[in-house]
Short mmCIF file of all heavy atoms in Angstrom, two decimals:
data_model
loop_
_atom_site.label_atom_id
_atom_site.label_comp_id
_atom_site.label_asym_id
_atom_site.label_seq_id
_atom_site.Cartn_x
_atom_site.Cartn_y
_atom_site.Cartn_z
N PHE A 28 211.92 25.86 160.25
CA PHE A 28 210.92 26.29 159.32
C PHE A 28 209.57 25.65 159.65
O PHE A 28 209.44 24.45 159.92
CB PHE A 28 211.27 25.91 157.87
CG PHE A 28 210.28 26.31 156.89
CD1 PHE A 28 210.05 27.52 156.50
CD2 PHE A 28 209.48 25.25 156.33
CE1 PHE A 28 209.01 27.84 155.56
CE2 PHE A 28 208.46 25.52 155.40
CZ PHE A 28 208.26 26.82 155.04
N MET A 31 205.14 28.57 154.77
CA MET A 31 205.23 29.76 154.02
C MET A 31 204.02 29.82 153.28
O MET A 31 203.38 28.89 152.75
CB MET A 31 206.48 29.74 153.09
CG MET A 31 206.55 30.75 152.06
SD MET A 31 205.83 30.14 150.46
CE MET A 31 206.61 31.23 149.28
N HIS A 32 203.44 31.07 153.07
CA HIS A 32 202.21 31.21 152.25
C HIS A 32 202.24 32.48 151.48
O HIS A 32 203.01 33.50 151.86
CB HIS A 32 200.94 31.12 153.08
CG HIS A 32 200.66 32.34 153.90
ND1 HIS A 32 201.14 32.63 155.12
CD2 HIS A 32 199.88 33.49 153.66
CE1 HIS A 32 200.67 33.77 155.64
NE2 HIS A 32 199.98 34.29 154.71
N ALA A 33 201.46 32.57 150.37
CA ALA A 33 201.45 33.73 149.51
C ALA A 33 200.00 34.23 149.52
O ALA A 33 199.05 33.37 149.71
CB ALA A 33 201.90 33.40 148.10
N LEU A 44 204.36 37.62 150.64
CA LEU A 44 204.93 36.26 151.05
C LEU A 44 205.18 36.33 152.58
O LEU A 44 205.77 37.28 153.08
CB LEU A 44 206.13 35.85 150.35
CG LEU A 44 206.03 35.65 148.84
CD1 LEU A 44 207.34 35.23 148.29
CD2 LEU A 44 205.03 34.54 148.49
N TYR A 46 206.94 34.03 155.52
CA TYR A 46 207.65 32.82 156.00
C TYR A 46 207.64 32.68 157.47
O TYR A 46 208.14 33.63 158.17
CB TYR A 46 209.18 32.96 155.45
CG TYR A 46 209.25 33.09 153.95
CD1 TYR A 46 209.08 34.31 153.29
CD2 TYR A 46 209.60 31.96 153.18
CE1 TYR A 46 209.33 34.46 151.98
CE2 TYR A 46 209.81 32.14 151.80
CZ TYR A 46 209.61 33.36 151.20
OH TYR A 46 209.78 33.52 149.87
N ILE A 80 211.60 35.42 142.63
CA ILE A 80 211.72 35.23 144.07
C ILE A 80 212.69 34.14 144.37
O ILE A 80 212.52 33.00 143.90
CB ILE A 80 210.36 34.87 144.62
CG1 ILE A 80 209.28 35.88 144.24
CG2 ILE A 80 210.38 34.66 146.16
CD1 ILE A 80 207.88 35.43 144.40
N SER A 82 214.39 31.08 145.96
CA SER A 82 213.96 29.93 146.81
C SER A 82 214.88 29.96 148.06
O SER A 82 216.05 30.24 148.09
CB SER A 82 214.12 28.68 146.08
OG SER A 82 213.93 27.58 146.99
N ILE A 83 214.29 29.51 149.23
CA ILE A 83 215.00 29.40 150.47
C ILE A 83 215.28 27.86 150.69
O ILE A 83 215.66 27.54 151.83
CB ILE A 83 214.28 30.00 151.61
CG1 ILE A 83 212.97 29.26 151.99
CG2 ILE A 83 213.94 31.46 151.38
CD1 ILE A 83 212.45 29.67 153.45
N SER A 84 215.09 27.03 149.62
CA SER A 84 215.24 25.63 149.83
C SER A 84 216.64 25.14 150.11
O SER A 84 216.85 23.99 150.53
CB SER A 84 214.70 24.88 148.58
OG SER A 84 215.31 25.31 147.44
N TYR A 87 216.28 25.46 153.88
CA TYR A 87 215.13 24.75 154.37
C TYR A 87 214.53 23.93 153.29
O TYR A 87 213.57 24.47 152.65
CB TYR A 87 214.13 25.62 155.11
CG TYR A 87 214.75 26.35 156.31
CD1 TYR A 87 215.04 27.63 156.27
CD2 TYR A 87 214.71 25.61 157.62
CE1 TYR A 87 215.54 28.24 157.41
CE2 TYR A 87 215.28 26.24 158.72
CZ TYR A 87 215.65 27.59 158.59
OH TYR A 87 216.09 28.23 159.78
N PRO A 88 214.93 22.73 153.01
CA PRO A 88 214.34 21.95 151.88
C PRO A 88 212.82 21.71 152.06
O PRO A 88 212.12 21.58 151.02
CB PRO A 88 215.05 20.61 151.95
CG PRO A 88 216.38 20.95 152.52
CD PRO A 88 216.10 22.00 153.54
N ALA A 89 212.32 21.75 153.32
CA ALA A 89 210.88 21.53 153.51
C ALA A 89 210.01 22.63 152.95
O ALA A 89 208.81 22.45 152.91
CB ALA A 89 210.64 21.43 155.06
N VAL A 90 210.60 23.64 152.55
CA VAL A 90 209.82 24.80 151.89
C VAL A 90 209.26 24.41 150.58
O VAL A 90 208.40 25.14 150.08
CB VAL A 90 210.61 26.10 151.87
CG1 VAL A 90 211.61 26.06 150.68
CG2 VAL A 90 209.72 27.33 151.74
N PHE A 91 209.88 23.47 149.88
CA PHE A 91 209.46 23.16 148.46
C PHE A 91 208.00 23.12 148.29
O PHE A 91 207.49 23.75 147.29
CB PHE A 91 210.14 21.87 148.05
CG PHE A 91 209.57 21.35 146.81
CD1 PHE A 91 209.79 21.94 145.57
CD2 PHE A 91 208.81 20.16 146.74
CE1 PHE A 91 209.30 21.62 144.38
CE2 PHE A 91 208.22 19.78 145.54
CZ PHE A 91 208.47 20.41 144.33
N PRO A 92 207.15 22.26 148.99
CA PRO A 92 205.76 22.25 148.60
C PRO A 92 205.01 23.60 148.80
O PRO A 92 204.03 23.84 148.10
CB PRO A 92 205.19 21.21 149.62
CG PRO A 92 206.14 21.14 150.68
CD PRO A 92 207.49 21.39 150.04
N PHE A 93 205.54 24.48 149.70
CA PHE A 93 204.93 25.76 149.87
C PHE A 93 205.28 26.63 148.73
O PHE A 93 204.44 27.42 148.24
CB PHE A 93 205.35 26.39 151.23
CG PHE A 93 205.03 25.54 152.42
CD1 PHE A 93 205.86 24.60 152.98
CD2 PHE A 93 203.74 25.68 153.06
CE1 PHE A 93 205.52 23.83 154.09
CE2 PHE A 93 203.35 24.95 154.13
CZ PHE A 93 204.28 23.99 154.69
N GLU A 94 206.54 26.65 148.30
CA GLU A 94 206.96 27.53 147.16
C GLU A 94 206.24 26.98 145.94
O GLU A 94 205.84 27.83 145.04
CB GLU A 94 208.50 27.43 147.01
CG GLU A 94 209.23 28.12 148.13
CD GLU A 94 210.72 28.11 147.99
OE1 GLU A 94 211.22 27.19 147.28
OE2 GLU A 94 211.37 29.01 148.48
N ASN A 95 206.14 25.65 145.80
CA ASN A 95 205.46 25.21 144.64
C ASN A 95 203.99 25.58 144.61
O ASN A 95 203.42 25.92 143.52
CB ASN A 95 205.57 23.67 144.66
CG ASN A 95 205.19 22.95 143.35
OD1 ASN A 95 205.53 23.51 142.22
ND2 ASN A 95 204.51 21.92 143.35
N GLU A 96 203.36 25.57 145.74
CA GLU A 96 201.97 26.00 145.80
C GLU A 96 201.82 27.49 145.52
O GLU A 96 200.81 27.88 144.81
CB GLU A 96 201.38 25.76 147.19
CG GLU A 96 199.95 26.14 147.33
CD GLU A 96 199.41 25.92 148.74
OE1 GLU A 96 200.03 26.57 149.69
OE2 GLU A 96 198.45 25.20 148.92
N ALA A 97 202.77 28.30 145.88
CA ALA A 97 202.72 29.84 145.52
C ALA A 97 202.76 29.93 144.02
O ALA A 97 202.12 30.81 143.48
CB ALA A 97 203.88 30.51 146.16
N HIS A 98 203.49 29.06 143.28
CA HIS A 98 203.49 29.07 141.89
C HIS A 98 202.15 28.61 141.34
O HIS A 98 201.59 29.20 140.42
CB HIS A 98 204.64 28.27 141.32
CG HIS A 98 204.59 28.30 139.83
ND1 HIS A 98 203.77 27.38 139.07
CD2 HIS A 98 205.22 29.06 138.85
CE1 HIS A 98 203.98 27.66 137.79
NE2 HIS A 98 204.80 28.63 137.63
N ASP A 99 201.69 27.46 141.82
CA ASP A 99 200.50 26.88 141.29
C ASP A 99 199.30 27.76 141.35
O ASP A 99 198.46 27.89 140.51
CB ASP A 99 200.10 25.55 142.03
CG ASP A 99 201.19 24.41 141.74
OD1 ASP A 99 202.09 24.70 140.94
OD2 ASP A 99 201.11 23.41 142.38
N LEU A 100 199.19 28.52 142.54
CA LEU A 100 197.99 29.30 142.76
C LEU A 100 198.06 30.72 142.15
O LEU A 100 197.06 31.23 141.65
CB LEU A 100 197.76 29.54 144.28
CG LEU A 100 197.39 28.20 145.11
CD1 LEU A 100 197.18 28.51 146.51
CD2 LEU A 100 196.01 27.68 144.51
N PHE A 101 199.36 31.32 142.09
CA PHE A 101 199.43 32.65 141.68
C PHE A 101 200.43 32.89 140.43
O PHE A 101 200.50 33.96 139.96
CB PHE A 101 199.99 33.52 142.89
CG PHE A 101 199.06 33.53 144.01
CD1 PHE A 101 199.41 32.93 145.25
CD2 PHE A 101 197.75 34.00 144.00
CE1 PHE A 101 198.59 32.89 146.30
CE2 PHE A 101 196.85 34.03 145.03
CZ PHE A 101 197.31 33.38 146.25
N GLY A 102 201.09 31.81 140.07
CA GLY A 102 201.99 31.91 138.97
C GLY A 102 203.30 32.67 139.27
O GLY A 102 204.03 33.19 138.48
N LEU A 103 203.68 32.74 140.60
CA LEU A 103 204.87 33.38 141.03
C LEU A 103 206.11 32.63 140.69
O LEU A 103 206.10 31.39 140.65
CB LEU A 103 204.81 33.62 142.59
CG LEU A 103 203.66 34.53 143.11
CD1 LEU A 103 203.73 34.55 144.56
CD2 LEU A 103 203.82 35.88 142.42
N ALA A 104 207.16 33.37 140.27
CA ALA A 104 208.35 32.72 139.80
C ALA A 104 209.37 32.52 140.97
O ALA A 104 210.02 33.51 141.41
CB ALA A 104 209.05 33.64 138.73
N ILE A 105 209.46 31.28 141.43
CA ILE A 105 210.39 30.87 142.36
C ILE A 105 211.63 30.38 141.70
O ILE A 105 211.56 29.35 140.94
CB ILE A 105 209.82 29.83 143.40
CG1 ILE A 105 208.46 30.21 143.84
CG2 ILE A 105 210.75 29.64 144.61
CD1 ILE A 105 208.30 31.33 144.74
N THR A 106 212.78 30.92 142.02
CA THR A 106 214.01 30.61 141.29
C THR A 106 215.00 29.85 142.20
O THR A 106 214.97 29.98 143.36
CB THR A 106 214.67 31.85 140.63
OG1 THR A 106 215.12 32.72 141.78
CG2 THR A 106 213.74 32.60 139.83
N MET A 108 215.54 26.77 142.95
CA MET A 108 215.24 25.69 143.91
C MET A 108 216.28 24.56 143.94
O MET A 108 216.78 24.19 142.84
CB MET A 108 213.85 25.06 143.55
CG MET A 108 212.75 26.12 143.64
SD MET A 108 211.07 25.33 143.48
CE MET A 108 211.09 24.52 145.08
N ILE A 110 215.94 21.42 145.03
CA ILE A 110 215.53 20.10 144.78
C ILE A 110 215.63 19.77 143.36
O ILE A 110 215.06 20.55 142.50
CB ILE A 110 213.99 19.91 145.27
CG1 ILE A 110 213.96 20.14 146.75
CG2 ILE A 110 213.50 18.51 144.94
CD1 ILE A 110 212.55 20.04 147.34
N PHE A 112 215.00 18.68 139.98
CA PHE A 112 213.99 18.17 138.98
C PHE A 112 214.46 18.58 137.57
O PHE A 112 213.73 18.71 136.65
CB PHE A 112 212.63 18.76 139.24
CG PHE A 112 211.93 18.15 140.39
CD1 PHE A 112 211.92 18.82 141.63
CD2 PHE A 112 211.21 16.99 140.30
CE1 PHE A 112 211.28 18.27 142.75
CE2 PHE A 112 210.63 16.42 141.38
CZ PHE A 112 210.63 17.06 142.62
N PHE A 115 212.83 21.44 135.76
CA PHE A 115 211.48 21.40 135.29
C PHE A 115 210.53 21.00 136.52
O PHE A 115 209.76 20.01 136.36
CB PHE A 115 211.31 20.38 134.16
CG PHE A 115 212.03 20.77 132.89
CD1 PHE A 115 213.26 20.19 132.58
CD2 PHE A 115 211.50 21.67 132.11
CE1 PHE A 115 213.94 20.61 131.52
CE2 PHE A 115 212.14 22.11 130.91
CZ PHE A 115 213.39 21.55 130.64
N PHE A 116 210.59 21.77 137.60
CA PHE A 116 209.67 21.37 138.64
C PHE A 116 208.25 21.70 138.23
O PHE A 116 207.98 22.53 137.38
CB PHE A 116 210.05 22.07 139.97
CG PHE A 116 209.55 23.53 140.11
CD1 PHE A 116 208.44 23.79 140.81
CD2 PHE A 116 210.29 24.59 139.58
CE1 PHE A 116 208.00 25.08 140.92
CE2 PHE A 116 209.81 25.86 139.68
CZ PHE A 116 208.69 26.16 140.44
N TYR A 117 207.34 21.10 138.87
CA TYR A 117 205.91 21.21 138.42
C TYR A 117 205.40 22.54 138.27
O TYR A 117 205.60 23.53 139.05
CB TYR A 117 204.97 20.52 139.47
CG TYR A 117 203.51 20.64 139.19
CD1 TYR A 117 202.98 19.80 138.23
CD2 TYR A 117 202.69 21.57 139.81
CE1 TYR A 117 201.58 19.86 137.95
CE2 TYR A 117 201.45 21.65 139.49
CZ TYR A 117 200.82 20.85 138.54
OH TYR A 117 199.54 20.99 138.23
N GLN A 118 204.88 22.87 136.97
CA GLN A 118 204.33 24.17 136.69
C GLN A 118 203.00 24.03 136.03
O GLN A 118 202.64 22.94 135.53
CB GLN A 118 205.23 24.99 135.77
CG GLN A 118 206.57 25.25 136.41
CD GLN A 118 207.47 25.98 135.43
OE1 GLN A 118 207.05 26.38 134.29
NE2 GLN A 118 208.70 26.39 135.84
N VAL A 119 202.18 25.05 136.06
CA VAL A 119 200.89 25.00 135.48
C VAL A 119 200.88 25.82 134.21
O VAL A 119 201.76 26.61 133.98
CB VAL A 119 199.79 25.53 136.47
CG1 VAL A 119 199.62 24.62 137.62
CG2 VAL A 119 200.12 26.94 136.93
N THR A 121 198.61 28.05 133.15
CA THR A 121 198.18 29.37 133.37
C THR A 121 198.35 29.84 134.82
O THR A 121 198.69 28.99 135.66
CB THR A 121 196.70 29.60 133.01
OG1 THR A 121 195.91 28.91 133.97
CG2 THR A 121 196.34 29.05 131.57
N ALA A 122 198.16 31.10 135.16
CA ALA A 122 198.30 31.51 136.41
C ALA A 122 197.04 31.52 137.28
O ALA A 122 197.00 31.91 138.41
CB ALA A 122 198.87 33.03 136.45
N ASP A 123 196.00 31.02 136.68
CA ASP A 123 194.75 30.96 137.36
C ASP A 123 194.78 29.95 138.56
O ASP A 123 195.39 28.92 138.39
CB ASP A 123 193.54 30.52 136.46
CG ASP A 123 193.34 31.63 135.34
OD1 ASP A 123 193.69 32.74 135.68
OD2 ASP A 123 192.93 31.17 134.28
N MET A 125 194.28 26.87 140.83
CA MET A 125 193.92 25.50 140.69
C MET A 125 193.90 25.02 139.22
O MET A 125 193.22 24.03 138.85
CB MET A 125 192.54 25.14 141.36
CG MET A 125 192.48 25.59 142.86
SD MET A 125 193.90 24.89 143.77
CE MET A 125 193.55 23.18 143.76
N SER A 126 194.61 25.75 138.37
CA SER A 126 194.66 25.22 136.99
C SER A 126 195.67 24.11 136.98
O SER A 126 196.38 23.95 137.87
CB SER A 126 195.14 26.30 136.03
OG SER A 126 196.29 26.91 136.46
N ILE A 128 198.37 21.36 134.62
CA ILE A 128 199.21 21.17 133.48
C ILE A 128 198.55 20.33 132.45
O ILE A 128 197.82 19.37 132.79
CB ILE A 128 200.63 20.60 133.90
CG1 ILE A 128 201.65 20.78 132.81
CG2 ILE A 128 200.52 19.21 134.34
CD1 ILE A 128 203.04 20.46 133.25
N ARG A 136 207.77 17.88 128.89
CA ARG A 136 208.75 18.09 129.95
C ARG A 136 209.45 16.86 130.38
O ARG A 136 210.68 16.84 130.56
CB ARG A 136 208.03 18.72 131.20
CG ARG A 136 207.60 20.15 130.92
CD ARG A 136 207.44 20.95 132.16
NE ARG A 136 207.18 22.26 131.84
CZ ARG A 136 206.26 22.98 132.31
NH1 ARG A 136 205.43 22.46 133.20
NH2 ARG A 136 206.07 24.28 132.05
#
Side-chain angles (χ1 to χ4, degrees):
F28 174 76
M31 168 263 201
H32 76 272
L44 297 178
Y46 300 81
I80 303 163
S82 170
I83 69 167
S84 57
Y87 294 98
V90 75
F91 167 69
F93 299 94
E94 290 181 335
N95 194 39
E96 182 182 55
H98 177 278
D99 292 354
L100 293 178
F101 301 112
L103 297 179
I105 312 292
T106 64
M108 297 193 69
I110 298 178
F112 286 97
F115 294 103
F116 84 97
Y117 177 78
Q118 296 181 0
V119 293
T121 69
D123 295 331
M125 304 311 292
S126 55
I128 193 170
R136 289 205 174 130

